[in-house]
Amino acid sequence: MLEKPFGACAPTGIQRLIIACARCTPLRRWLSRRRLGGLLSRVRSGPIDATFLGARFRLHLTDNPVEGGMLFYPDYNICEIEFLMSCVPEGGTFVDVGANVGLYSLPLAVHVGHNGRVLAIEPGAVSLARLRVNLVASDAHHVVVAPYAIGERRGESYLHVPSRNVGGATVSEVASGEMVGTMPFLEVLEEHGIDGIDGLKVDVEGCEDYVVVPLLKAQKKDLWPQGIVIEHLHRGEWRADCLDLLQRNGYEIVGTTQSNTMFRRMRGE
């Protein structure tokens, strides 16, 4: 629930000036998103209400670079989001693995409309709470949240959440951090009645293969999305090379950004 209605945390005049300068001048090259967020916090502490690609967000700027990106970069991840929109029709189904605060889930929810389906998978307590706030602010009642970390089997695991990057949480092999439930990807889909996917985004800090490998091995081609965006920054940690597997199973690379690779399923596959 929203403790304050959306708009109650709108930026002040001085904050709007800082945001405008960061968006339109080299200021954002000189200062990190975290430092820009700190500058806004000096004017007034607390989150900032803002819209991004038609969705409403209550953004926290000092501990999550994704939220700062949405505020200070109007084109933040726009290539990937627009690509997914081209693959997912109105009324279609989008699955977001590692949803964070809704950077992908909410614009795609606006795109598919209330007759469409969005499944947002996010285990981290802080990100999850912020995601739920943003869903309410955006009236995105057709987005279903699955509060799990994707793993090889059902159970529990520890999640390490960096204090300065809550969206960069990783499943920990040591007994420290936040305890979260784990579930295999295909079981999450089954639990939520997902029997077909139009678009898929996967960003789980080095565990992307826990999503891609079982999806392809299952040979349930109705589940194979038309478009996939996968973060490749932790490619060296994968137990199987997801990029190679996707290409060998009928997907072609249609674009690459600093963080992500975009795949489209070829016709006839």
Side-chain angles (χ1 to χ4, degrees), residues 51-73:
T51 59
F52 180 78
L53 296 180
R56 293 176 168 183
F57 292 86
R58 180 155 290 168
L59 299 171
H60 300 74
L61 305 174
T62 58
D63 64 354
N64 189 0
V66 165
E67 294 177 77
M70 282 189 276
L71 186 65
F72 297 120
Y73 296 77

Short mmCIF file of all heavy atoms in Angstrom, two decimals, residues 51-73:
data_model
loop_
_atom_site.label_atom_id
_atom_site.label_comp_id
_atom_site.label_asym_id
_atom_site.label_seq_id
_atom_site.Cartn_x
_atom_site.Cartn_y
_atom_site.Cartn_z
N THR A 51 7.31 9.52 -13.22
CA THR A 51 6.79 8.59 -14.22
C THR A 51 7.92 8.16 -15.14
O THR A 51 8.86 8.91 -15.38
CB THR A 51 5.66 9.23 -15.04
OG1 THR A 51 6.16 10.40 -15.69
CG2 THR A 51 4.48 9.59 -14.15
N PHE A 52 7.80 6.94 -15.63
CA PHE A 52 8.81 6.40 -16.55
C PHE A 52 8.10 5.47 -17.52
O PHE A 52 7.48 4.49 -17.11
CB PHE A 52 9.89 5.64 -15.76
CG PHE A 52 10.98 5.05 -16.62
CD1 PHE A 52 12.00 5.86 -17.12
CD2 PHE A 52 10.98 3.70 -16.94
CE1 PHE A 52 13.01 5.32 -17.91
CE2 PHE A 52 11.98 3.15 -17.73
CZ PHE A 52 12.99 3.96 -18.22
N LEU A 53 8.13 5.84 -18.80
CA LEU A 53 7.51 5.05 -19.86
C LEU A 53 6.05 4.71 -19.53
O LEU A 53 5.59 3.58 -19.72
CB LEU A 53 8.31 3.78 -20.11
CG LEU A 53 9.74 3.99 -20.65
CD1 LEU A 53 10.44 2.65 -20.85
CD2 LEU A 53 9.72 4.78 -21.95
N GLY A 54 5.33 5.70 -19.04
CA GLY A 54 3.90 5.55 -18.79
C GLY A 54 3.53 4.95 -17.46
O GLY A 54 2.34 4.83 -17.15
N ALA A 55 4.52 4.54 -16.66
CA ALA A 55 4.25 3.94 -15.35
C ALA A 55 4.70 4.88 -14.24
O ALA A 55 5.52 5.77 -14.45
CB ALA A 55 4.96 2.59 -15.23
N ARG A 56 4.14 4.66 -13.07
CA ARG A 56 4.45 5.52 -11.91
C ARG A 56 5.37 4.79 -10.95
O ARG A 56 5.15 3.62 -10.62
CB ARG A 56 3.16 5.90 -11.19
CG ARG A 56 2.24 6.82 -12.00
CD ARG A 56 0.95 7.07 -11.24
NE ARG A 56 0.16 8.14 -11.83
CZ ARG A 56 -0.98 8.58 -11.31
NH1 ARG A 56 -1.47 8.02 -10.20
NH2 ARG A 56 -1.64 9.57 -11.90
N PHE A 57 6.37 5.52 -10.48
CA PHE A 57 7.36 4.95 -9.57
C PHE A 57 7.61 5.90 -8.40
O PHE A 57 7.65 7.11 -8.57
CB PHE A 57 8.69 4.72 -10.29
CG PHE A 57 8.66 3.65 -11.33
CD1 PHE A 57 8.27 3.93 -12.63
CD2 PHE A 57 9.05 2.36 -11.02
CE1 PHE A 57 8.24 2.94 -13.60
CE2 PHE A 57 9.03 1.36 -11.98
CZ PHE A 57 8.63 1.66 -13.28
N ARG A 58 7.80 5.32 -7.24
CA ARG A 58 8.33 6.05 -6.09
C ARG A 58 9.79 5.62 -5.95
O ARG A 58 10.09 4.51 -5.52
CB ARG A 58 7.51 5.75 -4.84
CG ARG A 58 8.00 6.46 -3.58
CD ARG A 58 6.88 6.64 -2.58
NE ARG A 58 5.90 7.63 -3.06
CZ ARG A 58 4.70 7.84 -2.51
NH1 ARG A 58 4.32 7.12 -1.47
NH2 ARG A 58 3.90 8.76 -3.01
N LEU A 59 10.70 6.51 -6.33
CA LEU A 59 12.10 6.15 -6.52
C LEU A 59 12.95 6.52 -5.31
O LEU A 59 12.91 7.65 -4.81
CB LEU A 59 12.64 6.86 -7.76
CG LEU A 59 11.92 6.51 -9.08
CD1 LEU A 59 12.39 7.42 -10.20
CD2 LEU A 59 12.15 5.04 -9.44
N HIS A 60 13.77 5.56 -4.89
CA HIS A 60 14.76 5.75 -3.82
C HIS A 60 16.13 5.81 -4.49
O HIS A 60 16.51 4.90 -5.21
CB HIS A 60 14.68 4.61 -2.82
CG HIS A 60 13.33 4.48 -2.17
ND1 HIS A 60 12.23 3.98 -2.84
CD2 HIS A 60 12.90 4.81 -0.93
CE1 HIS A 60 11.18 3.99 -2.02
NE2 HIS A 60 11.56 4.49 -0.87
N LEU A 61 16.88 6.86 -4.20
CA LEU A 61 17.99 7.20 -5.07
C LEU A 61 19.38 6.97 -4.48
O LEU A 61 20.37 7.17 -5.18
CB LEU A 61 17.87 8.68 -5.48
CG LEU A 61 16.52 9.05 -6.12
CD1 LEU A 61 16.43 10.54 -6.35
CD2 LEU A 61 16.33 8.30 -7.42
N THR A 62 19.47 6.55 -3.24
CA THR A 62 20.79 6.44 -2.62
C THR A 62 21.28 5.01 -2.48
O THR A 62 22.45 4.79 -2.17
CB THR A 62 20.79 7.10 -1.22
OG1 THR A 62 19.79 6.46 -0.41
CG2 THR A 62 20.50 8.59 -1.33
N ASP A 63 20.41 4.01 -2.74
CA ASP A 63 20.84 2.62 -2.52
C ASP A 63 20.45 1.68 -3.65
O ASP A 63 20.53 0.47 -3.49
CB ASP A 63 20.28 2.10 -1.19
CG ASP A 63 18.75 2.02 -1.17
OD1 ASP A 63 18.11 2.47 -2.15
OD2 ASP A 63 18.20 1.53 -0.17
N ASN A 64 20.02 2.23 -4.79
CA ASN A 64 19.64 1.37 -5.91
C ASN A 64 19.89 2.11 -7.23
O ASN A 64 19.07 2.95 -7.63
CB ASN A 64 18.18 0.96 -5.81
CG ASN A 64 17.79 -0.11 -6.82
OD1 ASN A 64 18.63 -0.57 -7.62
ND2 ASN A 64 16.54 -0.53 -6.81
N PRO A 65 20.99 1.80 -7.93
CA PRO A 65 21.30 2.52 -9.17
C PRO A 65 20.21 2.43 -10.22
O PRO A 65 20.06 3.34 -11.04
CB PRO A 65 22.58 1.82 -9.65
CG PRO A 65 23.21 1.28 -8.41
CD PRO A 65 22.06 0.87 -7.53
N VAL A 66 19.42 1.36 -10.23
CA VAL A 66 18.33 1.25 -11.21
C VAL A 66 17.32 2.38 -11.03
O VAL A 66 16.86 2.99 -12.00
CB VAL A 66 17.63 -0.13 -11.08
CG1 VAL A 66 16.28 -0.14 -11.80
CG2 VAL A 66 18.53 -1.22 -11.65
N GLU A 67 16.98 2.69 -9.79
CA GLU A 67 16.01 3.75 -9.54
C GLU A 67 16.58 5.11 -9.93
O GLU A 67 15.86 5.96 -10.47
CB GLU A 67 15.57 3.71 -8.07
CG GLU A 67 14.81 2.44 -7.74
CD GLU A 67 14.42 2.33 -6.28
OE1 GLU A 67 13.44 2.99 -5.87
OE2 GLU A 67 15.09 1.57 -5.54
N GLY A 68 17.86 5.32 -9.67
CA GLY A 68 18.49 6.55 -10.11
C GLY A 68 18.52 6.65 -11.63
O GLY A 68 18.32 7.72 -12.21
N GLY A 69 18.76 5.51 -12.28
CA GLY A 69 18.78 5.50 -13.74
C GLY A 69 17.46 5.94 -14.33
O GLY A 69 17.43 6.71 -15.31
N MET A 70 16.36 5.48 -13.76
CA MET A 70 15.04 5.86 -14.27
C MET A 70 14.79 7.35 -14.13
O MET A 70 14.12 7.96 -14.97
CB MET A 70 13.95 5.07 -13.55
CG MET A 70 13.80 3.66 -14.04
SD MET A 70 12.33 2.84 -13.35
CE MET A 70 12.99 2.29 -11.79
N LEU A 71 15.31 7.96 -13.07
CA LEU A 71 15.07 9.38 -12.85
C LEU A 71 15.98 10.26 -13.68
O LEU A 71 15.54 11.26 -14.26
CB LEU A 71 15.25 9.71 -11.37
CG LEU A 71 14.88 11.15 -10.98
CD1 LEU A 71 13.38 11.39 -11.17
CD2 LEU A 71 15.27 11.44 -9.53
N PHE A 72 17.24 9.89 -13.78
CA PHE A 72 18.22 10.79 -14.41
C PHE A 72 18.48 10.49 -15.88
O PHE A 72 19.04 11.33 -16.58
CB PHE A 72 19.55 10.71 -13.64
CG PHE A 72 19.44 11.17 -12.21
CD1 PHE A 72 19.75 10.32 -11.17
CD2 PHE A 72 19.02 12.46 -11.91
CE1 PHE A 72 19.65 10.74 -9.84
CE2 PHE A 72 18.92 12.89 -10.59
CZ PHE A 72 19.22 12.02 -9.55
N TYR A 73 18.05 9.32 -16.36
CA TYR A 73 18.28 8.95 -17.76
C TYR A 73 16.94 8.62 -18.43
O TYR A 73 16.44 7.50 -18.27
CB TYR A 73 19.21 7.73 -17.86
CG TYR A 73 20.60 7.95 -17.34
CD1 TYR A 73 20.86 7.97 -15.98
CD2 TYR A 73 21.66 8.13 -18.22
CE1 TYR A 73 22.15 8.17 -15.50
CE2 TYR A 73 22.96 8.32 -17.75
CZ TYR A 73 23.19 8.34 -16.38
OH TYR A 73 24.46 8.54 -15.90
#
